[in-house]
Amino acid sequence: MDRTLILLKPDAIQRGLLGSIISKFENKGFKIMGLKMLQMSKDLSKQHYAHLVDKPFYPDLEKFVTEHPMIAMVIEGKDAVDVVRLIVGPTNASKAPAGTIRGDFSNSTSRNVIHASDSKETAEKEIKRFFKDNDLFKYEFRNGYYLRASDE
Ligand code: UDP
Ligand code: MG
């Protein structure tokens, strides 16, 4: 099973979208292993967005992600990294298909409500950045039989 890191960015909280977004992952059959509210520091933003610190939009991005709280969560499931990115949609929400989270809840490249890890390697690094092992729970769904066949 894959694990991936999701951040529900400050715009998701400010706009009251947490329940609608989290329910998309629950409906898909993904398991929430850990979830917490935090406020990003500037240092954490620079680590998390290291690939973007030299971009002209970085100062606005850092202000946006550090000035209000957000939610971090780890979810687990079959092909979770790739499937979550499909559910999230492309970075530019104006081009995101209807039915994706960004397509349904944003029309912006910057205020695009959610972050999701872009590869398995990134996911493991990002999970460690936000969660201690003890903060993550391993448990079985009692209805697993109805989510997929045993050989899937
Ligand atoms: N971002 C932005 N302007 C841009 C590109 C990205 O403000 O032109 C922000 C946006 O919030 C995006 C984040 O930087 O989600 C990370 O960018 P990345 O290219 O990693 O996109 P993502 O993985 O979030 O789709
Ligand atoms: Mg990214």
Side-chain angles (χ1 to χ4, degrees), residues 21-38:
I21 296 174
I22 292 171
S23 68
K24 295 248 191 195
F25 298 114
E26 292 184 310
N27 291 345
K28 188 73 176 174
F30 285 125
K31 191 182 293 175
I32 297 173
M33 299 184 75
L35 187 153
K36 67 179 176 190
M37 185 177 268
L38 66 116

Side-chain angles (χ1 to χ4, degrees), residues 9 11 48-49 51-52 55 57-58 60-62 64-65 85 88-92 102 108-118 126:
K9 297 180 187 176
D11 49 341
H48 186 68
Y49 290 120
H51 59 301
L52 300 174
K55 301 280 186 197
F57 60 80
Y58 181 77
D60 175 77
L61 175 61
E62 184 180 275
F64 162 56
V65 294
R85 289 284 293 197
V88 164
T91 312
N92 179 358
R102 286 169 169 167
S108 163
T109 302
S110 58
R111 287 13 170 204
N112 56 10
V113 301
I114 186 167
H115 164 85
S117 308
D118 61 11
E126 291 183 343

Side-chain angles (χ1 to χ4, degrees), residues 1-107:
M1 287 292 151
D2 288 1
R3 310 189 299 172
T4 193
L5 180 88
I6 291 172
L7 301 176
L8 306 179
K9 297 180 187 176
D11 49 341
I13 295 187
Q14 292 289 329
R15 295 176 53 210
L17 297 173
L18 296 184
S20 304
I21 296 174
I22 292 171
S23 68
K24 295 248 191 195
F25 298 114
E26 292 184 310
N27 291 345
K28 188 73 176 174
F30 285 125
K31 191 182 293 175
I32 297 173
M33 299 184 75
L35 187 153
K36 67 179 176 190
M37 185 177 268
L38 66 116
Q39 190 154 353
M40 254 195 191
S41 64
K42 292 180 177 179
D43 278 354
L44 186 57
S45 173
K46 287 187 178 82
Q47 279 177 44
H48 186 68
Y49 290 120
H51 59 301
L52 300 174
V53 284
D54 297 327
K55 301 280 186 197
F57 60 80
Y58 181 77
D60 175 77
L61 175 61
E62 184 180 275
K63 182 169 185 289
F64 162 56
V65 294
T66 58
E67 74 182 352
H68 291 287
M70 60 169 62
I71 299 292
M73 47 194 282
V74 174
I75 64 167
E76 182 187 56
K78 183 172 179 285
D79 301 323
V81 172
D82 292 344
V83 175
V84 165
R85 289 284 293 197
L86 280 178
I87 294 172
V88 164
T91 312
N92 179 358
S94 304
K95 300 246 160 58
T100 64
I101 290 168
R102 286 169 169 167
D104 285 354
F105 298 125
S106 169
N107 198 15

Side-chain angles (χ1 to χ4, degrees), residues 144-152:
Y145 176 80
Y146 293 102
L147 292 174
R148 72 185 65 84
S150 57
D151 62 350
E152 275 190 289

